[in-house]
Structure formats: C-alpha cells, structure tokens
Amino acid sequence: MIALPKPTFNALSPSILSANQLILGEQIKTVEILGASWLHIDIMDGHFVPNLSFGPATVKWVSTATKLAQDVHLMVEDPQKYLDAFIKAGASSLTLHVESKGNLRELLEQIRAKGVSTGISIKPDTDPNVLKQFLDIIDLVLVMTVYPGFGGQAFLENAQKQISEVKSIIAERPIWLEVDGGINKDTAKIAKEAGANAFVAGNALFAANDIEQAFKDLKDAIK
Ligand code: DX5
Ligand code: ZN
C-alpha cells in the first residue's frame, strides 16, 4: 500500500471507470508512463448512486499492475461494511461521502490507524461547511463537480463556487482539494483557479482519440 503524497503540486488522477476494462492493465500502464499522479477508483453500490462499478478485487488486481497509488472513492450507502476489504486490497486512500451513513469520524480514524490516507467527498448540493468538523482528520476533500454515478457528464455550473468555498475552508492546511466529474482541459482551468489542486479525469482521457495528447493538454491546464 502506498499512501497519497503531500499536496505540494497539482495532481492528475485518471479515473479507471472510463477505461476499457478488457485492457485495463494496458490502459493503466499508459497513464502511468505519461505521468499520472495516482489512479482514481470509483466504487458504486447501486444504492448511494444508481450504478454499479468495482469492488475490492479490482483494487487488488490493479495493485499488482502498477506502482501508482489508488485513490478509492466510495459511493456507497454504508461505507463501514467495506473499509477493511478495501484496505486489505491495497487502497492508498479511502474517500467517504459525507452523505453516507455511519459515524464518519470514527470511520476516518479507523482508516488512518491503518496507515491509509483519508478523504471526505461532498455532492453538488451539499453545504461545504459540513467539512469543518473533519479538517483535523482528512488528507483530501473530493468535490463532486457532477452528480455522482456516471462518467462522461458535464461539469456543473455552480461547481466553481463550491470549490472556492471549500478552498477557503481548507485554507493553507495540507489537504488535497480534488475535483471529480466533467474535468477536461477547459474545466480543469476553472477548477484550478477556484482552488483545486487534484483533478480526476475519466472520459477526457480514456475516451480521447489520442490519449497522449489529451494527457498533455490536461497537464498544461493544471500547471
Ligand atoms: C462520477 C465518478 C467520476 C467519474 C468521472 O460519479 O465519481 O470519478 O469517473 O468521469 P468523467 O471524468 O468522465 O466525468
Ligand atoms: Zn469518483
């Protein structure tokens, strides 16, 4: 298990949700060689969001295929059920939604105790002030810039405002401000100007005709 680095640079995090699952290993190698900062792994349970995706087995197999850290985004109703399995599988960070059930503070403490990085995510309509109670126990805030559930959606208009609010809450603390959903070379710039320093990209990379060019464009946008 590789924990996330400290936020001293702008990170690009390819989301494997949009990768071709038949050649997942190759796709991961491609973004690793191009200079991905880590991988974003979307976990969906069909309840918290109306879609299904991966489980701990994917995290385990991915960890055998790459040295990149895995930023695991839990879009599940009851995260407590799955923490141990994802930690055992090799997750580098576990991000819980503030809208999920359970004692999130306790869960974050459990995750930290295992040496895994911690994150809290907020959906587009959630008041960023809820983050204040977790600032001492998180390494990352994940701001959803689309309604979670599917790749390939458009960056929401009010996302910029939410990112700025989150940035002013995080202030100078060493906490990543990661954005997720509809990130491309144009929206990445908007998000960066609002204060983001980590950028998840699914479709903008894996659905591009030229992934190398798409990667370069995104890197330029967040430089
Ligand atoms: C959406 C997921 C995202 C998704 C982003 O619910 O959390 O991580 O993979 O995909 P794009 O970049 O295509 O919006
Ligand atoms: Zn995600």
Side-chain angles (χ1 to χ4, degrees), residues 9-82:
F9 59 97
N10 288 341
L12 182 54
S13 174
S15 169
I16 67 162
L17 187 65
S18 308
N20 179 341
Q21 305 301 312
L22 290 182
I23 49 162
L24 185 56
E26 280 171 43
Q27 300 241 283
I28 288 172
K29 266 288 155 240
T30 303
V31 293
E32 181 169 8
I33 290 164
L34 288 170
S37 308
W38 58 72
L39 295 173
H40 185 80
I41 319 288
D42 285 313
I43 308 298
M44 305 179 183
D45 67 351
H47 295 283
F48 187 80
V49 288
N51 197 6
L52 294 162
S53 58
F54 314 114
T58 299
V59 172
K60 181 170 162 262
W61 283 110
V62 168
S63 71
T64 67
T66 179
K67 290 202 162 48
L68 292 172
Q70 293 186 64
D71 150 31
V72 176
H73 175 194
L74 292 177
M75 285 166 275
V76 302
E77 223 168 55
D78 190 0
Q80 173 159 32
K81 282 192 196 162
Y82 306 104

Side-chain angles (χ1 to χ4, degrees), residues 159-213:
Q160 188 178 0
K161 184 169 165 267
Q162 210 191 20
I163 299 163
S164 319
E165 284 175 22
V166 171
K167 176 59 197 166
S168 66
I169 290 169
I170 291 178
E172 297 314 311
R173 292 175 182 84
I175 297 174
W176 287 105
L177 199 177
E178 188 171 51
V179 286
D180 184 10
I183 298 297
N184 56 39
K185 60 180 180 349
D186 303 319
T187 56
K189 266 197 193 130
I190 297 171
K192 188 191 136 207
E193 269 151 33
N197 58 6
F199 305 81
V200 173
N203 263 46
L205 287 172
F206 294 111
N209 289 328
D210 182 347
I211 188 166
E212 195 172 331
Q213 188 59 47

